[in-house]
Amino acid sequence: MKHSLQRKLLYSYMAVIIIMLIMVSIGVSYLIRDYFIFSKKRELMNKAYELSRVVDDYYQGTINLHQLGIFINSVDSFLDARIWVVDGSRRVIAMSTPQRRYGPGGPWHRPGMRPGGMGIPLEANARGMIRKCLEELNQVFEGREWSTTLRHPFYDEEMLMVSIPVIQANGGMNGIILLNSPVRSINEYMQRIYYYIAAIGLVAVLLTIVIVNWLSRGIVRPLREMQLAAQAMACGDYNRRTGIRTDDEVGELGKSLNSLAQDLERFVSETEKVDKLRRDFVANVSHELRTPLTIIRGYTEALTDGTAADPALQAKYLGMMRDETERLERLIKDLLDLSRLQSQNTNAEMEPIPLAAVAEGVVSIFRRGAEQKGVQLQAEKLEENTVISGNGDRLTQLLLILLDNALKFTPAGGKITVGVERDKNLILLAVSDTGSGIASEDLPFIWERFYKADKAHSRLSVGTGLGLAIAREIIELHGGTVEVASAPAKGTKFIIRFPSLEKELKPV
């Protein structure tokens, strides 16, 4: 049978409280009883010494036995103690006889017994019980005090017995005085105390149940929340969070669990994203490779089976096969470039690069092609103090990609502008054109591999669809950021911000 943590805590606290109540009750009861017994013993001792003077008067002949009996009976009435006077030969010469305390069948109403002093006949059984009591008084006859609590063999009840010797003026001993006080009143008082302790204990247990139940709920509730969160994570739900806000160890555990869920959620999201990119990449590469290979295979079969017997047709087929082979070569080259950039193996090749000079060099490469297409290509704001830490070949490749795309999508009569300038601690590279532009819904995806804004991956262009993906890796490699603004039929503008070399060399 499964027991919850809350129930275990409740049972444990209740067991501790009950055990503590029992131990305290036992300890307090013994302490109180011992205190009452000790107080009663001191009182009886004091009264016994006062009685010893009266008993000494009896031995001196000042009073007779009858007067002694009346006196000890009167003392018995207010002291509530049975008084025995025993002489030196261990004979009981007088006993107090409080008849009002005993009904028929009590020790003073046995057959052949009646109250009185010496000479009053007692039955044999009573005399035997008296001798048994006197056997415990050896040390008193030796001149020492004695006290004990036991079940009295004569009165047949629990009594406190106190005895002292009666010493003569010359140092001799006349006998002893024995006081037998019932402890039933103390027991009755202790029984009332037990009732009070039991009632208080019951209230304490009930309060303990309420308080411990409340406390255990406060302990178990956050643990339950963490259990549900862990179960949710085990089932793949990493959005579940615990609502624990305490500053104790449980709160720290809840925060750690929330942090773990957040990290797992991020990891799973990144994993799914990477997996999707991998699948898309494989699909796109397969598509890009399959199409030229299919074309090459078709033309090869046409040439080998004699379908294309016309020399002009054969030359056309061979030219198309060459174009597709070059396309495959560019695709493989771009894939290798992208792979190298993503591995970031070019960090060791960084050096101070004047970005304006690189831009001017690339513009001169495209100038003749732009003139042939009827596109105006200009280099504006090429400031000289625009040095960055970078790789010259990669920065040249970045500009080649951007200008190639700009020239490709800018019609005759359009304009392409390249600019490099400083903006505080940043170097800005801007490439703008007045071409066909990019639709707003396509802008977030232009950096993805094999993405083309025409949605059809038209084969009229010679691009591989990897240019901007390579460009983004080059920008990130140099610690830069890029911003793109474009509108259909109005053109596109790329603004790339690189940290200047002075900022990178600034001491920390």
Side-chain angles (χ1 to χ4, degrees):
M1 181 178 180
K2 182 180 179 181
H3 295 287
S4 65
L5 179 60
Q6 181 177 352
R7 185 173 298 179
K8 290 179 181 178
L9 289 173
L10 180 62
Y11 290 163
S12 300
Y13 281 120
M14 285 183 59
V16 171
I17 294 297
I18 292 173
I19 292 173
M20 292 298 297
L21 283 174
I22 293 174
M23 294 177 63
V24 170
S25 301
I26 293 174
V28 169
S29 64
Y30 274 112
L31 182 64
I32 294 175
R33 193 174 191 277
D34 288 346
Y35 172 77
F36 284 142
I37 293 294
F38 178 79
S39 299
K40 188 68 174 178
K41 183 178 73 172
R42 298 312 307 167
E43 181 186 10
L44 293 177
M45 283 287 183
N46 294 333
K47 296 300 180 182
Y49 279 108
E50 294 177 4
L51 282 171
S52 66
R53 292 193 292 269
V54 178
V55 174
D56 186 62
D57 290 341
Y58 164 74
Y59 283 112
Q60 296 295 329
T62 305
I63 61 174
N64 57 30
L65 185 60
H66 178 70
Q67 291 174 325
L68 178 62
I70 293 174
F71 179 76
I72 62 175
N73 282 337
S74 63
V75 173
D76 183 308
S77 64
F78 70 84
L79 192 59
D80 189 23
R82 314 293 84 76
I83 303 171
W84 292 11
V85 180
V86 184
D87 63 10
S89 60
R90 302 193 181 193
R91 292 182 304 166
V92 179
I93 62 175
M95 280 187 183
S96 62
T97 57
Q99 297 185 25
R100 67 181 183 277
R101 297 183 182 275
Y102 297 95
W108 299 109
H109 289 80
R110 295 172 184 167
M113 292 183 61
R114 59 187 179 86
M118 288 300 299
I120 301 301
L122 298 173
E123 64 176 2
N125 187 35
R127 289 195 297 270
M129 289 186 291
I130 291 174
R131 284 195 299 270
K132 186 175 181 180
C133 293
L134 296 179
E135 290 175 357
E136 302 289 337
L137 304 175
N138 292 330
Q139 68 181 34
V140 186
F141 286 102
E142 295 174 359
R144 299 193 302 269
E145 295 177 351
W146 174 85
S147 64
T148 187
T149 303
L150 49 74
R151 188 165 190 83
H152 205 290
F154 184 77
Y155 296 108
D156 194 25
E157 68 172 309
E158 188 178 8
M159 282 191 166
L160 171 61
M161 300 173 65
V162 174
S163 181
I164 63 168
V166 180
I167 307 297
Q168 299 175 359
N170 58 7
M173 188 173 66
N174 289 326
I176 67 171
I177 297 175
L178 176 63
L179 280 73
N180 308 277
S181 177
V183 295
R184 61 178 177 272
S185 60
I186 297 177
N187 292 338
E188 291 173 357
Y189 182 78
M190 292 302 303
Q191 193 167 9
R192 289 196 299 270
I193 291 179
Y194 294 149
Y195 290 150
Y196 294 148
I197 292 176
I200 293 173
L202 180 60
V203 173
V205 169
L206 294 177
L207 288 175
T208 300
I209 293 175
V210 174
I211 295 174
V212 171
N213 190 49
W214 177 74
L215 290 175
S216 59
R217 283 185 179 179
I219 295 173
V220 172
R221 187 182 301 111
L223 297 178
R224 181 61 178 167
E225 289 186 18
M226 288 188 286
Q227 178 191 12
L228 295 176
Q231 290 176 349
M233 284 191 287
C235 295
D237 180 12
Y238 304 107
N239 295 319
R240 182 73 178 261
R241 298 289 186 272
T242 63
I244 304 171
R245 297 293 183 269
T246 58
D247 294 329
D248 52 14
E249 291 81 357
V250 176
E252 291 296 326
L253 181 59
K255 293 176 183 177
S256 299
L257 192 61
N258 288 340
S259 178
L260 176 61
Q262 184 176 357
D263 292 342
L264 286 174
E265 182 181 11
R266 188 182 300 112
F267 173 75
V268 171
S269 177
E270 291 295 329
T271 302
E272 292 177 351
K273 182 179 179 181
V274 171
D275 188 60
K276 182 178 182 301
L277 290 175
R278 180 187 59 81
R279 292 195 304 268
D280 293 344
F281 176 74
V282 172
N284 289 330
V285 169
S286 299
H287 173 76
E288 295 295 333
L289 291 177
R290 183 173 60 250
T291 302
L293 289 175
T294 301
I295 295 173
I296 293 173
R297 179 180 178 182
Y299 291 155
T300 302
E301 291 177 353
L303 292 173
T304 56
D305 62 12
T307 303
D310 185 6
L313 186 58
Q314 290 178 356
K316 178 182 177 181
Y317 285 176
L318 289 173
M320 296 179 69
M321 291 170 64
R322 182 188 65 249
D323 293 341
E324 294 302 326
T325 302
E326 292 175 352
R327 181 182 180 85
L328 285 175
E329 184 180 359
R330 289 194 303 270
L331 177 61
I332 293 172
K333 178 179 177 297
D334 288 346
L335 287 173
L336 289 175
D337 276 346
L338 188 59
S339 177
R340 292 192 190 99
L341 286 169
Q342 288 177 336
S343 65
Q344 296 184 355
N345 290 330
T346 58
N347 283 337
E349 302 175 8
M350 295 294 184
E351 58 182 349
I353 299 294
L355 188 58
V358 174
E360 187 176 6
V362 175
V363 168
S364 63
I365 295 174
F366 281 89
R367 195 175 301 280
R368 182 176 179 181
E371 292 175 354
Q372 291 177 351
K373 190 176 180 180
V375 175
Q376 183 181 358
L377 178 58
Q378 294 180 350
E380 300 178 350
K381 296 183 180 180
L382 296 181
E383 298 182 6
E384 294 183 359
N385 188 20
T386 53
V387 180
I388 67 171
S389 176
N391 182 279
D393 293 337
R394 293 302 179 185
L395 292 172
T396 300
Q397 185 181 12
L398 171 63
L399 281 164
L400 288 171
I401 293 171
L402 296 178
L403 287 178
D404 181 66
N405 283 342
L407 186 58
K408 186 188 306 179
F409 295 104
T410 301
K415 181 179 179 180
I416 300 174
T417 304
V418 178
V420 178
E421 59 182 326
R422 172 180 289 276
D423 182 13
K424 297 181 180 179
N425 291 326
L426 297 175
I427 305 300
L428 273 60
L429 168 64
V431 178
S432 60
D433 63 64
T434 58
S436 58
I438 305 171
S440 59
E441 62 269 17
D442 291 325
L443 280 177
F445 309 103
I446 60 174
W447 306 103
E448 294 184 6
R449 302 166 184 172
F450 302 110
Y451 187 84
K452 294 183 179 180
D454 59 7
K455 305 292 191 300
H457 289 200
S458 174
R459 301 199 57 80
L460 296 177
S461 64
V462 295
T464 62
L466 295 173
L468 289 180
I470 294 174
R472 181 182 61 179
E473 295 294 335
I474 295 174
I475 294 170
E476 292 179 354
L477 177 64
H478 290 77
T481 59
V482 61
E483 177 184 347
V484 183
S486 183
K490 292 185 179 181
T492 304
K493 184 175 184 178
F494 289 83
I495 301 176
I496 305 168
R497 295 176 173 86
F498 295 106
S500 66
L501 183 62
E502 291 81 1
K503 181 181 179 181
E504 289 200 353
L505 296 179
K506 184 179 180 179
V508 177

